[in-house]
Amino acid sequence: MNKWLKVWSIFIFSIGGIVILLIFGIVYSFFSFRASMIPDKKEEEKVISQAEQYILETYPTMNYEISHVLYDNDKEYSDFEYAAVILNIDTQKTFMVYENRHTKQMEDDITIQEEAKFIEQVEPKVNRYLTKTFGEPKSMSFTPSYSTRTKPVLNIRLTNKKEEINEEVFQSFIDYLQHELKVEHASVNFLYENENEGWSTEF
C-alpha cells in the first residue's frame, strides 16, 4: 500500500511540476510578446534625431514636421525597424526617413514612392504594347521594389508558345521599356502557357 502511495505521490508531483513549468512558460511567452509589441523610447528618440539631421543635410529648404515614429514590429519592412514619418507641409505628402539596417546609412523612401507612382502610370501602356504585339496576356504584374536594394519586377504570362517569340522580339520589348517608357531598372520575365521556361533579363 505504501509502495503504491509513494508511486502515486511521485506521479502527481511530476505532473504538477510539468503543469507549473507550462504555466510559467506561457506567462513568460505572453509578456515577451507584449514587450516586443512596445516600441523602445530610446530608439524612437534616436531615429527622430537622425531624421532631423538627415533632412537638414538632404532637403535643407523643406518645410516639414515629424508626424510620428513607425515601429515595424510586424516585420513588414526589410530595411528598417524604426522610421520617422515626415510630413512635407508644402505638398502635404508624407515619407519615411530611417537608418537602413543593411547599409547603416540614413535614407528616405521618396524615390520608392515615386517609382510606385511611375509604374502605376506606365502599366496600361505596357499592357497595350503586349496586347498589340503578342495578343492579350494571360496575366501581368508590375511590382514596385519597396526597397532601395532591389528592382521592380515585371512578370508577364503569355498565351503564346516559347518558340513563337525569339530573342529579338523579346529585346524589342525591353528597348520599348527603356527608351520609350523610360523605365530605368527592372527584372523582366516572360512566362508561357503550361511551360516553366521563358525569357528573363534585368537592367
Side-chain angles (χ1 to χ4, degrees):
M1 185 69 178
N2 289 337
K3 180 181 178 181
W4 285 108
L5 182 61
K6 185 178 180 180
V7 171
W8 273 107
S9 297
I10 294 173
F11 176 75
I12 290 171
F13 277 115
S14 298
I15 295 299
I18 292 172
V19 170
I20 290 171
L21 286 174
L22 285 173
I23 291 172
F24 274 111
I26 292 170
V27 171
Y28 176 78
S29 298
F30 173 75
F31 281 104
S32 295
F33 175 74
R34 285 195 62 184
S36 69
M37 300 292 287
I38 300 173
D40 187 316
K41 291 295 182 184
K42 290 184 178 179
E43 291 296 327
E44 288 186 322
E45 293 170 358
K46 176 184 174 182
V47 76
I48 287 174
S49 176
Q50 289 174 317
E52 290 174 337
Q53 183 64 30
Y54 174 82
I55 293 174
L56 181 63
E57 295 174 356
T58 311
Y59 309 109
T61 62
M62 181 180 289
N63 187 20
Y64 76 95
E65 64 180 37
I66 297 179
S67 172
H68 63 281
V69 172
L70 172 66
Y71 171 47
D72 184 31
N73 58 299
D74 292 330
K75 310 300 180 186
E76 180 181 352
Y77 298 93
S78 63
D79 287 344
F80 65 84
E81 187 175 15
Y82 290 87
V85 180
I86 312 299
L87 171 66
N88 184 325
I89 295 175
D90 296 326
T91 64
Q92 288 299 298
K93 293 182 178 180
T94 61
F95 62 97
M96 294 186 295
V97 175
Y98 50 87
E99 181 182 21
N100 188 305
R101 59 158 54 101
H102 307 285
T103 65
K104 304 303 180 184
Q105 300 294 318
M106 294 300 295
E107 60 186 42
D108 62 67
D109 71 336
I110 290 178
T111 56
I112 296 173
Q113 290 187 33
E114 290 174 346
E115 176 189 279
K117 184 176 180 180
F118 173 74
I119 286 175
E120 185 179 349
Q121 292 172 342
V122 303
E123 199 167 13
K125 298 178 182 178
V126 174
N127 190 62
R128 284 196 295 270
Y129 180 97
L130 293 170
T131 301
K132 181 180 179 181
T133 308
F134 309 108
E136 186 175 356
K138 185 172 183 181
S139 64
M140 184 189 79
S141 64
F142 204 165
T143 309
S145 58
Y146 299 115
S147 170
T148 57
R149 298 177 300 112
T150 58
K151 299 177 180 180
V153 178
L154 175 56
N155 287 328
I156 301 160
R157 183 168 290 277
L158 300 170
T159 56
N160 311 74
K161 296 184 180 297
K162 185 181 179 181
E163 58 267 20
E164 296 175 349
I165 301 173
N166 58 35
E167 186 174 0
E168 183 180 351
V169 174
F170 177 69
Q171 187 58 49
S172 294
F173 174 66
I174 301 302
D175 291 341
Y176 171 73
L177 292 177
Q178 291 181 297
H179 304 304
E180 296 294 327
L181 298 186
K182 307 301 181 184
V183 177
E184 294 184 1
H185 305 287
S187 174
V188 182
N189 304 291
F190 268 21
L191 305 173
Y192 300 92
E193 185 71 10
N194 300 323
E195 292 188 36
N196 293 324
E197 296 183 8
W199 295 100
S200 297
T201 191
E202 290 187 359
F203 56 86

